[in-house]
Amino acid sequence: MSRDSAAPPGPVTPPAPVAFGRWAVPLLSEQLRLPRGGARLRALAALTDVLQRPLRATEALNAGFLQQLKDLLEDEDPLVRAKVCQILHMLAAHASGRCRRCSPCGPRDIRNSRHRGFLLICCHLETRPHSGGASLLTLLPKLMKRLSEEEEEEVLLLSLLTCCFQADPQAALRSDAVSLLAPKLSNGALSVRKAAAAAMMALSVPMAGKLQVCEVLPAVAALLQEDDEEAQLNATGVIMFVAVTTTGKLQCLHLDVLPVLLKLVCERNREEQVRRRRKPLVVYALRGLTMLAETPEGRRLLQEQLPLLRRRSEEEEDEDLQQVLQTAVQVVMFTP
């Protein structure tokens, strides 16, 4: 999935003059309390600059800025509300900000920035399960309901949901996530479809998810035909996970994905940067092929391509890829 951390559009507000050192944060705190909207906007613009430094971000949080920002989300000036969401987004990028419990909620004009802030928080759920972001998992049903209502923010919401699914896929499965997301795999823009595939990959980790995602494999397999590496990566990741099950193996063979995976593995590029970028895609494809080689039909098809796989293994310089290639060759050669 792409990372979008751009600030919300709007007119540029010159920052308010602030003192240096330890006086900067207290002065801005006072300026945010001023009744004039222009003064608050200038203070918020200055705060944006100050928060670029992690130590200042921690100082601002300790000084009670978080409560001030939450109060300003109710400001009558939409520019003030939008700027506040941009700052909350910035705070979520700092460790001290992610540990604070807050649930900012604003009107429609700042929803996009709020989702971006939530997204940064959710990206750390697995490593910081006791952080404030963990409370977002309780919002899963509401977020999935909103996904069917917000066409303009589908990709951002899908990215947010993917982070939540990675933290607790079982909770998502209990909320019927696979059925709710299934239409996104085949309808709409490519950006929406590949974001939906990323969400499906997160849901495919537990066994219950693998079995449910098998039902949407045709739409996932269709993404392999797109000339887009991210779409191919997400689709291949789903196939890699569901092919662990017998149902998944048989359905993948029926959908004729084996030749496509083999093509992805054998495509070579001389540019080092391109090889590094494609490495996860090749690993997913190889693991998918290894799973399919465990079936009689898959093994028969791959044994015909055994010289190609061996040559690919011998030419590979990356140790990780070479190991995965050798495992695939061994499984293909295995005779039960």
Side-chain angles (χ1 to χ4, degrees):
M1 132 191 110
S2 59
R3 296 180 182 177
D4 185 2
S5 58
V12 177
T13 304
V18 296
F20 293 102
R22 63 190 180 90
W23 296 108
V25 170
L27 179 59
L28 287 174
S29 179
E30 290 296 327
Q31 291 175 343
L32 286 178
R33 296 189 181 96
L34 294 177
R36 300 185 305 278
R40 288 196 297 271
L41 276 174
R42 288 192 294 273
L44 289 169
L47 184 60
T48 302
D49 295 335
V50 169
L51 293 179
Q52 299 290 341
R53 290 165 287 179
L55 290 178
R56 287 286 178 260
T58 302
E59 184 182 351
L61 288 165
N62 292 335
F65 261 94
L66 193 56
Q67 186 57 52
Q68 280 186 281
L69 293 174
K70 291 173 68 177
D71 293 341
L72 286 174
L73 282 172
E74 305 299 327
D75 194 277
E76 62 182 11
D77 188 342
L79 295 179
V80 170
R81 299 196 300 267
K83 198 68 178 176
V84 169
C85 276
Q86 180 188 354
I87 292 173
L88 289 170
H89 174 206
M90 293 176 62
L91 287 173
H94 296 295
S96 56
R98 290 190 295 269
C99 290
R100 305 300 174 116
R101 291 186 176 273
C102 63
S103 299
C105 55
R108 183 178 180 83
D109 58 347
I110 60 171
R111 195 174 298 149
N112 191 277
S113 293
R114 186 178 77 240
H115 288 159
R116 286 183 178 136
F118 282 170
L119 178 56
L120 279 180
I121 296 171
C122 279
C123 286
H124 297 268
L125 285 176
E126 288 184 293
T127 56
R128 304 181 69 89
H130 301 295
S131 67
S135 61
L136 289 176
L137 291 173
T138 61
L139 301 178
L140 269 176
K142 291 183 179 180
L143 287 172
M144 287 190 286
K145 182 178 183 294
R146 186 170 294 279
L147 184 62
S148 63
E149 302 170 351
E150 297 288 345
E151 293 184 0
E152 296 180 358
E153 302 174 7
E154 285 178 304
V155 174
L156 195 57
L157 279 167
L158 284 167
S159 300
L160 174 58
L161 285 168
T162 299
C163 290
C164 292
F165 295 168
Q166 289 170 343
D168 191 351
Q170 298 288 1
L173 293 170
R174 288 193 296 271
S175 298
D176 202 23
V178 173
S179 297
L180 290 171
L181 292 181
K184 303 297 180 183
L185 286 169
S186 52
N187 299 328
L190 176 60
S191 58
V192 174
R193 288 183 281 130
K194 65 185 182 183
M200 288 295 180
M201 179 164 48
L203 292 172
S204 301
V205 174
M207 182 56 67
K210 291 176 173 58
L211 296 173
Q212 291 185 35
V213 173
C214 280
E215 299 176 5
V216 298
L217 263 185
V220 172
L223 283 171
L224 292 175
Q225 306 300 330
E226 297 288 347
D227 188 19
D228 183 285
E229 281 189 14
E230 186 180 355
Q232 293 172 340
L233 174 68
N234 295 343
T236 307
V238 174
I239 290 169
M240 171 188 68
F241 281 120
V242 301
V244 171
T245 68
T246 301
T247 302
K249 288 180 173 66
L250 296 177
Q251 194 163 359
C252 285
L253 290 171
H254 175 72
L255 293 169
D256 204 25
V257 302
L258 190 150
V260 183
L261 297 181
L262 189 64
K263 181 181 178 182
L264 292 174
V265 167
C266 294
E267 285 181 353
R268 298 298 303 273
N269 194 295
R270 294 183 180 181
E271 295 184 20
E272 177 64 23
Q273 185 177 0
V274 176
R275 291 202 301 271
R276 286 199 303 267
R277 190 183 68 231
R278 293 187 75 255
K279 180 177 176 178
L281 174 60
V282 176
V283 170
Y284 288 178
L286 277 168
R287 288 176 176 168
L289 289 173
T290 303
M291 293 295 105
L292 297 180
E294 293 178 352
T295 67
E297 177 64 12
R299 188 179 303 111
R300 182 187 66 78
L301 292 172
L302 285 170
Q303 282 177 345
E304 296 174 1
Q305 305 296 330
L306 196 54
L308 184 63
L309 287 172
R310 281 175 170 162
R311 185 167 63 252
R312 178 72 173 82
S313 176
E314 293 168 357
E315 295 174 352
E316 182 56 58
E317 298 177 358
D318 185 284
E319 292 183 1
D320 296 330
L321 284 177
Q322 192 176 62
Q323 184 176 1
V324 182
L325 277 161
Q326 289 173 352
T327 300
V329 169
Q330 291 172 2
V331 174
V332 172
M333 291 176 59
F334 175 74
T335 302

